[in-house]
Amino acid sequence: MKRQIIDTISAYETIIIHRHVRPDPDAYGSSFGLKEILKKTYPEKKIYVVGEHEETLTFLTKPDILRDDQFEGALIIVTDTANTERIDDQRYTSGAFLIKIDHHPNDDAYGDLFWVNTQASSVSEMIYELYEEGKGIANWQMCDAAARLLFAGIVGDTGRFMFQSTSQKTFDTAGDLIKYNFDRTELFNGMYEVDRNLLHLQGHIYQHFIMDENGAAYIKLPVETLKDFGVTASETSLLVGSLGNVKGIKAWIMFIEEEDQIRVRLRSKGPVINELAKQYGGGGHALASGASVYSWNEVDEVIAKLIKICK
């Protein structure tokens, strides 16, 4: 499969890379990391990454802005996106050929060609694996910028190498990437330093979350609370893992109210929670998933189901 992807990439002049909405470091790391590798390897090609910019990831880079006509005849590559509904920039259908590269369960097997590895810690790790294959058969080249982005993606999706998805291969890949010239301290600061108002909200979460005797926990963050702390809904993504430090917790949900929906961010230390996310139009990994609901009554339904899962 990797060989087919490499051969397909070599055949196109224009390559446009997409990722999922509300991107995280792996979405940026995999898409922009691939872009930097291809730019270094094929300087004559036109290579772009599109999608709405996430301000909290500005320290990594920013997407390109393209006209509709630039998609005509282009190769489209989508990274880190399980289903078509979550692809950022729906113009992905306007290209000539579509490749999916992902590590989520392949419930939506879209694309003319797809490579899905649910055992990979991150799609950034998969992109490095693709680079290694490309280096051998097509003289693919790594660069400092690509190494920095892929490293950030791996660190982000492994929770700084603490999640179960972290493997020997993950550490080997990270070890290869840090041989390149980029400032890891600066990168970690960009990923994990937060403003005081976000820390104050984190304190609120610790004070007000609810956990039952079976380790099922949740916190509700209505719009009014976010306004009180001066925090945007997207910024709360930096706090989803906070409750993982709580002794006795098995799985937890953070409910974040937005203008038109309530975001459901699920995390677990053991119980499988992605099937619960799928019941509400979402999905993801067994221990880290997301979904959306549209009323606080639905929120209570989700909580009740989480409690059953943790019993």
Side-chain angles (χ1 to χ4, degrees):
M1 186 59 65
K2 295 190 290 290
R3 178 66 178 264
Q4 288 180 269
I5 292 173
I6 293 163
D7 289 344
T8 303
I9 286 172
S10 67
Y12 281 83
E13 178 186 349
T14 300
I15 301 167
I16 302 174
I17 306 169
H18 296 242
R19 35 71 181 174
H20 60 76
V21 296
R22 290 180 286 273
D24 56 9
D26 189 34
Y28 265 39
S30 60
S31 58
F32 286 102
L34 178 59
K35 173 186 174 179
E36 293 299 333
I37 291 170
L38 297 183
K39 280 175 56 182
K40 180 73 173 178
T41 304
Y42 306 104
E44 75 282 0
K45 294 183 184 293
K46 300 173 183 176
I47 304 164
Y48 310 101
V49 176
V50 295
E52 185 175 349
H53 179 52
E54 171 54 56
E55 289 297 333
T56 61
L57 297 177
T58 299
F59 70 94
L60 287 177
T61 187
K62 287 186 176 182
D64 301 298
I65 298 174
L66 301 187
R67 305 182 308 273
D68 291 350
D69 64 281
Q70 290 176 274
F71 285 79
E72 296 174 7
L75 169 63
I76 307 296
I77 303 176
V78 182
T79 70
D80 197 32
T81 310
N83 51 61
T84 54
E85 291 80 7
R86 298 199 71 228
I87 299 175
D88 199 338
D89 195 327
Q90 290 292 301
R91 292 179 294 176
Y92 77 92
T93 59
S94 302
F97 195 88
L98 176 62
I99 296 175
K100 172 186 182 181
I101 304 176
D102 191 31
H103 70 143
H104 299 92
N106 197 27
D107 297 326
D108 183 357
Y110 65 85
D112 301 297
L113 188 62
F114 58 83
W115 174 33
V116 175
N117 179 7
T118 58
Q119 301 304 308
S121 72
S122 57
V123 179
S124 294
E125 182 180 308
M126 293 175 67
I127 296 301
Y128 186 79
E129 184 179 340
L130 185 67
Y131 152 73
E132 287 190 308
E133 182 84 7
K135 180 174 63 173
I137 65 175
N139 196 31
W140 277 27
Q141 299 177 51
M142 181 61 66
C143 61
D144 296 337
R148 174 179 179 269
L149 288 157
L150 295 179
F151 184 79
I154 292 170
V155 168
D157 248 31
T158 61
R160 287 179 270 191
F161 306 102
M162 291 191 294
F163 295 165
Q164 291 180 0
S165 60
T166 306
S167 66
Q168 178 67 52
K169 185 174 183 178
T170 307
F171 284 114
D172 290 343
T173 299
D176 287 342
L177 289 170
I178 63 172
K179 296 174 184 176
Y180 291 85
N181 185 28
F182 62 91
D183 190 330
R184 273 182 286 155
T185 299
E186 181 182 41
L187 183 63
F188 281 123
N189 288 342
M191 294 181 72
Y192 296 109
E193 282 187 345
V194 296
D195 292 332
R196 282 183 292 177
N197 57 343
L198 203 58
L199 288 175
H200 293 160
L201 177 60
Q202 186 176 45
H204 171 87
I205 291 169
Y206 284 137
Q207 286 183 311
H208 294 91
F209 80 92
I210 295 173
M211 185 172 77
D212 73 1
E213 66 278 7
N214 295 307
Y218 66 89
I219 180 72
K220 298 177 181 179
L221 298 177
V223 169
E224 293 77 12
T225 299
L226 298 182
K227 288 182 179 178
D228 287 344
F229 285 94
V231 173
T232 66
S234 65
E235 287 174 328
T236 62
S237 64
L238 299 173
L239 303 179
V240 178
S242 299
L243 294 180
N245 298 323
V246 177
K247 187 175 182 178
I249 201 167
K250 287 183 181 178
W252 64 98
I253 306 177
M254 187 176 291
F255 297 97
I256 304 104
E257 186 178 21
E258 300 180 1
E259 290 184 7
D260 59 345
Q261 63 184 305
I262 300 170
R263 295 289 302 163
V264 183
R265 299 186 181 277
L266 304 98
R267 296 295 184 269
S268 174
K269 288 187 172 182
V272 175
I273 41 83
N274 58 349
E275 292 300 324
L276 174 56
K278 289 177 186 178
Q279 294 178 37
Y280 294 89
H285 302 291
L287 305 182
S289 298
S292 295
V293 296
Y294 299 90
S295 72
W296 291 108
N297 286 334
E298 279 191 290
V299 164
D300 293 336
E301 288 178 11
V302 177
I303 293 170
K305 291 177 180 178
L306 179 72
I307 290 172
K308 288 184 178 179
I309 290 172
C310 289
K311 278 184 178 180

